[in-house]
Amino acid sequence: MLIVMSNHASKEELDNVMAAIEAHGWQAKPIPGGERTAIGILRNTGPVDPAIFLGMPGVRDAIPVSKPYKLVSREMKKENTLIPLGNGSVVIGGDKLILAAGPCAVESERQAIEIARAVQKAGAVLFRAGAFKPRTSPYAFQGLGEKGLQILAHVREETGLFVVSEATDHEVCDLVEEYADIIQIGTRNMQNYRLLKRAGQARKPVLLKRGMSATIDEFFMAAEYIMSEGNDQVILCERGIRTFATHSRNTLDLNAVPYIQKESHLPVFIDPSHAAGRRDQVIPLARAGAAVGAAGLLIEVHSCPEKAMSDGPQSLLPADFERLVAELRYMNFKI
Ligand code: PEP
Ligand code: MN
């Protein structure tokens, strides 16, 4: 249920409504909005009777929220969520197409700085690279761990790029929160509820990837876990889903973008790299992602893909990335 206050409701009237919600054992969540003050009711197990609130001074309306996800939904918050980074020099969800680029994994200081400088020159504002890698094989490179995060902090110092890196479990989330500007939660962890709750307590934005076999409603419920713990700064990322197709590693669900934008106020990114799994499809899918209205693109770039410790076959060369950005600029995207 969403309680909409009248424009001239006083602070006292607002407080009274919050107290009435809490007196029922529910949680009251004020929803900031441009044109109205609203309060969401959370943690109710059954339906809420609107009559409880409709007679209260300052209340204009009590609207039932029909979806299982609440904080994520546009029913609760009409305006698009904007996520400013640092002092607001980069705003995710605003009018610019955000480019996040970098290698799958941090491999060394030299590798990270070299790629960071190249993607920054081309137009990226975020540097992506994993320090903790969730690998299919336990024998594959697992990431540099904390050392990798220290390298990312150094990349930020050297270049001014914001950094995004994955927290693969609850235990390492503290470290990732400490070093990175954005905490990534990967496809394999989209339903790791303990990790989602921990990310919800973080003071950094979270980039949540869609589970490889998750419906959009399950994706929204995962984001709801993060938001219900108090973190409103969530970026959704479509990275391809498992289908019967064998001509690509995954199938990029472009339909997800307009559907998410209709149902939710959260910004949505497209990751063409993990969707394709092969370099030759990454640039066309990136263009499609921008064209369908994504707020940002997450792209793997490596200066020597054949020697990459992970995801080399899908990594663009810096020159390819530069060409993609030139194409996007030609298509009139603000970068
Ligand atoms: C990644 O971004 O490198 C990654 C592991 O992504 P995903 O979780 O989408 O597979
Ligand atoms: Mn990868």
Side-chain angles (χ1 to χ4, degrees), residues 127-247:
F127 184 63
R128 62 132 300 141
F132 295 92
K133 293 305 304 176
R135 302 304 299 278
T136 304
S137 164
Y139 309 118
F141 176 60
Q142 304 283 310
L144 295 183
E146 186 169 4
K147 173 88 180 85
L149 292 172
Q150 286 163 349
I151 293 173
L152 289 177
H154 192 219
V155 166
R156 177 179 46 229
E157 260 171 50
E158 285 287 307
T159 61
L161 287 169
F162 294 102
V163 300
V164 50
S165 202
E166 178 168 351
T168 44
D169 59 47
H170 185 263
E171 285 72 27
V172 305
C173 200
D174 288 355
L175 277 177
V176 176
E177 181 181 4
E178 185 185 329
Y179 287 99
D181 298 293
I182 298 180
I183 303 165
Q184 178 173 323
I185 295 187
T187 192
R188 294 161 186 80
N189 271 317
M190 192 208 80
Q191 287 179 315
N192 179 339
Y193 300 117
R194 190 156 177 257
L195 176 59
L196 295 173
K197 284 188 185 181
R198 169 63 189 82
Q201 290 150 12
R203 303 246 164 78
K204 297 269 170 81
V206 178
L207 183 130
L208 175 67
K209 291 197 162 192
R210 179 180 176 187
M212 60 185 89
S213 303
T215 64
I216 299 293
D217 278 12
E218 288 164 343
F219 193 17
F220 283 154
M221 291 311 282
E224 188 79 15
Y225 261 92
I226 299 171
M227 295 188 74
S228 70
E229 292 292 322
N231 192 343
D232 298 329
Q233 310 270 283
V234 180
I235 304 149
L236 302 172
C237 181
E238 162 60 40
R239 47 78 73 203
I241 49 172
R242 279 269 167 95
T243 66
F244 49 81
T246 52
H247 57 277

Side-chain angles (χ1 to χ4, degrees), residues 271-285:
D271 171 349
S273 307
H274 291 85
R278 41 187 287 179
R279 189 172 310 122
D280 61 336
Q281 297 177 355
V282 172
I283 290 184
L285 293 184

Side-chain angles (χ1 to χ4, degrees), residues 42-57:
L42 305 175
R43 303 193 195 278
N44 52 302
T45 43
V48 175
D49 182 1
I52 304 171
F53 303 99
L54 282 173
M56 291 185 73

